Amino acid sequence: MDKNKFSGLLDGYATFREVIYPRQKKLFKELVEKGQRPEILMISCCDSRVNSSQIFNSKPGDLFMLRNVANLVPPYQHDGGYHGTSAAIEYAVTELKVKLIIVMGHSYCGGIKAAYENQDAFAELDEETGRGFTRQWMNMIKDISANVHQCSHEMTEREQLRKLEQDNVLLSLKNLRSFKFVQEAIDQDNLELVGSWFDLDRGVVWIANEETKKFHVLKGEKD
Ligand SMILES: [Zn+2]
């Protein structure tokens, strides 16, 4: 490990040890003794600017966090693959019995931009270079990406990207329902799904209306 890079974290760690941990010591103890019981599964992007714990000022034990490139939920697939995202969703819904799943997209998403720009270059892994995982992963949104290219000519590129970032959240919600245990929990009124999108320019969270396919800012802020 690069010592200098790691030392950049030490000031923050000192604050955690001196200020944050002592304040939350009791909470940590409780979470160890009773185990975690988060009621929310938060699915968001790996992007370093989008930290849902910070955005919602949540405490340890509040959010079960699942982060991947472009906050994608793959559709249910029974093929013997290593499905890390599906495993986390299964654990959250069937073991932790979360009450709410939030999928949170965001503006300036690099994964979405790559999918938007490489419209004709969705590909399989390149055996020679060993690369291509991102493109293969982003294959999942190939159809909605093509749709944005075809149907949004009057929009600027930024507006098209925003549409794709938001359509992507709606697709993830749809794919969540393709898991039998998710749909069953919804049918039994034990689980709700919410789509959202974080606007980095303003630090504002938008919420999806799945019926209208539109997003609106969360209470008290202007669109
Ligand atoms: Zn992203």
Side-chain angles (χ1 to χ4, degrees):
M1 191 186 302
D2 184 331
K3 252 188 164 175
N4 293 329
K5 293 271 187 336
F6 188 76
S7 65
L9 292 172
L10 294 180
D11 283 351
Y13 180 60
T15 306
F16 174 75
R17 289 294 304 148
E18 286 158 25
V19 183
I20 300 168
Y21 184 76
R23 251 190 240 150
Q24 297 185 328
K25 200 172 171 182
K26 210 175 136 210
L27 175 63
F28 272 107
K29 193 168 177 270
E30 236 178 71
L31 288 168
V32 169
E33 284 169 1
K34 294 185 184 163
Q36 62 162 341
R37 275 280 162 240
E39 296 204 327
I40 299 171
L41 164 61
M42 176 68 73
I43 303 175
S44 56
C45 184
C46 296
D47 194 296
S48 60
R49 300 163 295 185
V50 182
N51 179 350
S52 44
S53 283
Q54 181 193 34
I55 295 167
F56 295 103
N57 193 24
S58 60
K59 297 187 298 300
D62 286 349
L63 302 177
F64 192 68
M65 309 276 285
L66 169 52
R67 295 179 80 162
N68 64 32
V69 173
N71 46 272
L72 301 189
V73 174
Y76 171 81
Q77 278 177 319
H78 192 89
D79 58 5
Y82 296 112
H83 297 294
T85 295
S86 306
I89 294 166
E90 180 184 31
Y91 186 72
V93 175
T94 66
E95 297 294 326
L96 297 173
K97 302 194 187 309
V98 295
K99 304 276 179 245
L100 174 65
I101 301 179
I102 302 175
V103 177
M104 190 161 74
H106 69 99
S107 57
Y108 307 103
C109 182
I112 295 292
K113 192 160 193 279
Y116 175 85
E117 287 174 350
N118 296 300
Q119 194 55 34
D120 303 316
F122 288 97
E124 297 299 311
L125 290 180
D126 181 333
E127 282 189 34
E128 229 171 89
T129 62
R131 295 178 57 170
F133 288 103
T134 317
R135 277 189 183 173
Q136 200 179 39
W137 177 245
M138 297 311 297
N139 266 344
M140 243 184 283
I141 67 160
K142 198 171 161 183
D143 292 346
I144 58 168
S145 180
N147 188 48
V148 166
H149 275 277
Q150 283 157 15
C151 309
S152 312
H153 295 302
E154 73 289 357
M155 293 180 176
T156 64
E157 185 181 297
R158 180 85 283 281
E159 286 167 344
Q160 289 191 24
L161 284 166
R162 173 189 287 207
K163 178 164 171 46
L164 189 51
E165 286 155 1
Q166 296 186 345
D167 285 355
N168 175 51
V169 169
L170 297 171
L171 179 64
S172 284
L173 293 179
K174 186 178 161 217
N175 286 344
L176 271 170
R177 294 191 177 90
S178 69
F179 292 82
K180 215 172 164 182
F181 48 82
V182 170
Q183 190 55 58
E184 277 172 6
I186 295 170
D187 291 343
Q188 291 159 5
D189 283 333
N190 289 326
L191 179 65
E192 269 181 71
L193 307 185
V194 167
S196 67
W197 177 81
F198 182 59
D199 180 351
L200 277 166
D201 283 312
R202 296 166 59 204
V204 166
V205 173
W206 297 53
I207 296 294
N209 179 327
E210 278 193 271
E211 274 175 40
T212 62
K213 315 260 182 249
K214 300 245 185 288
F215 284 64
H216 300 283
V217 291
L218 192 54
K219 67 173 189 182
E221 308 250 12
K222 284 183 190 151
D223 282 13

